[in-house]
Amino acid sequence: MATIEEVREFWNVRPCNIRHSPRPIGSREYFDEVEARKYFVEPHIPGFAQFERWKGKKVLEVGCGIGTDSINFARAGADLTIVELSERSLELCRRRFDVYGLTAHFHHGNAEELSAVVPIERYDLVYAFGVIHHSPDPSRVLREIRKYVDARSEIRLMLYAKWSWKAIWIIVKYGHGAVWRAGELIRRYSEALEGCPVTYVYSFAEIREILRNFTIVEMRKEHIFPYVVDKYVCYEYEWLWYFRRIPGWLFRWLEHRLGWHTLVVAAIRS
């Protein structure tokens, strides 16, 4: 099994979304373009995060990356606490807050040991988008999150979906249909930088199992990446030919059944 040190080093080499803009990294123009590109490609995120809803509320974000969602929680007026494993990601997130004149409470550390990093207190929202499935022991992260919520709190998570277009595409493209190698292939090719040390994917049933100590309020799938990769990396947004041939309603239907992002809203059991 991969270690947490290997995971940290992977995200230090290439923080998530760091190439979403060709502008000088750390500039205001860079951060503006990173945000525009992220929410253009993943438009379901603002509706899931519900940034404005958390004005004046305490939000704990577990894994901030370079801070695109973080900055929007802060803009909306949340009292935001952030914990991030990657030093480089956290440094860029801090820089982003400085650029926009916003504040948060920043912590560097491992979410599997959250209570050793962030003082235990109640939060209105614990938010972890695309984070827990990259931790060597996701169940340990969830046990730690449990310490920060009560019956009035919400937990909002994004976990990668096992039964998804992305998983099928990886198995066909890189494994030539070798479904028995699915775990290895998905881990290796799940991110823009090849070789992610840990990537778990979950069915709905498996999510219900790992969240057995929580009540699942909502669970749905979103996000099929439709773009030609070679053009996308050059900031051109041409859809793949087979997606161009289907109507929008059918593409959305597919996203809800084969989306890569499983969005989960949960609460503790009363």
Side-chain angles (χ1 to χ4, degrees):
M1 177 183 290
T3 65
I4 200 69
E5 289 76 20
E6 290 172 312
V7 175
R8 177 168 51 240
E9 182 55 29
F10 177 84
W11 293 110
N12 276 335
V13 169
R14 185 170 172 176
C16 189
N17 301 150
I18 196 169
R19 296 188 182 176
H20 267 22
S21 169
R23 305 281 187 175
I25 293 176
S27 67
R28 189 183 187 99
E29 295 78 12
Y30 169 80
F31 289 128
D32 285 345
E33 289 189 3
V34 166
E35 180 174 339
R37 181 173 166 97
K38 183 175 182 68
Y39 295 151
F40 175 75
V41 175
E42 302 175 59
H44 54 285
I45 293 177
F48 176 65
Q50 299 182 347
F51 299 116
E52 297 295 333
R53 182 179 163 204
W54 307 105
K55 181 178 181 179
K57 302 290 184 67
K58 291 178 65 63
V59 175
L60 174 59
E61 185 177 15
V62 179
C64 63
I66 63 174
T68 302
D69 291 348
S70 315
I71 208 74
N72 281 284
F73 280 118
R75 280 186 188 134
D79 178 5
L80 179 64
T81 297
I82 291 167
V83 61
E84 170 57 47
L85 177 67
S86 160
E87 297 95 328
R88 189 178 179 206
S89 298
L90 188 61
E91 178 186 351
L92 280 169
C93 186
R94 285 179 180 270
R95 170 63 182 159
R96 195 170 196 161
F97 274 72
D98 289 342
V99 164
Y100 293 104
L102 294 167
T103 59
H105 310 285
F106 299 95
H107 298 273
H108 172 245
N110 172 14
E112 293 182 9
E113 301 173 350
L114 189 61
S115 56
V117 179
V118 179
I120 296 175
E121 56 183 310
R122 176 196 168 269
Y123 285 83
D124 297 289
L125 171 67
V126 177
Y127 181 82
F129 196 94
V131 175
I132 293 173
H133 52 233
H134 289 312
S135 193
D137 190 346
S139 293
R140 189 175 175 189
V141 178
L142 291 167
R143 288 195 298 273
E144 287 291 292
I145 285 173
R146 176 64 179 78
K147 299 173 182 178
Y148 295 84
V149 296
D150 66 13
R152 299 165 293 169
S153 308
E154 275 190 8
I155 303 102
R156 288 181 174 255
L157 312 173
M158 186 277 277
L159 301 168
Y160 285 159
K162 176 179 285 186
W163 309 115
S164 62
W165 188 274
K166 176 77 174 272
I168 294 167
W169 179 81
I170 288 171
I171 293 166
V172 171
K173 180 176 175 62
Y174 297 106
H176 307 292
V179 293
W180 57 91
R181 295 178 56 211
E184 167 207 343
L185 292 164
I186 291 169
R187 175 190 59 75
R188 182 171 181 179
Y189 296 106
S190 62
E191 304 302 324
L193 179 63
E194 183 181 318
C196 188
V198 181
T199 302
Y200 292 104
V201 290
Y202 297 93
S203 66
F204 278 15
E206 288 166 337
I207 291 173
R208 291 188 186 98
E209 173 59 25
I210 65 168
L211 291 175
R212 60 189 175 277
N213 295 320
F214 299 83
T215 297
I216 295 177
V217 177
E218 179 185 353
M219 183 161 57
R220 71 180 194 274
K221 291 182 184 179
E222 294 282 357
H223 188 51
I224 291 176
F225 183 83
Y227 302 104
V228 178
V229 173
D230 290 345
K231 295 194 173 185
Y232 176 78
V233 298
C234 298
Y235 307 98
E236 298 176 24
Y237 301 96
E238 180 182 318
W239 282 40
L240 291 156
W241 67 268
Y242 42 86
F243 287 133
R244 292 200 305 269
R245 291 175 179 267
I246 64 175
W249 67 265
L250 180 54
F251 181 76
R252 291 294 295 138
W253 183 88
L254 285 171
E255 284 194 301
H256 291 318
R257 285 150 184 82
L258 292 174
W260 180 228
H261 293 178
T262 302
L263 308 180
V264 182
V265 180
I268 65 167
R269 293 187 182 277
S270 56

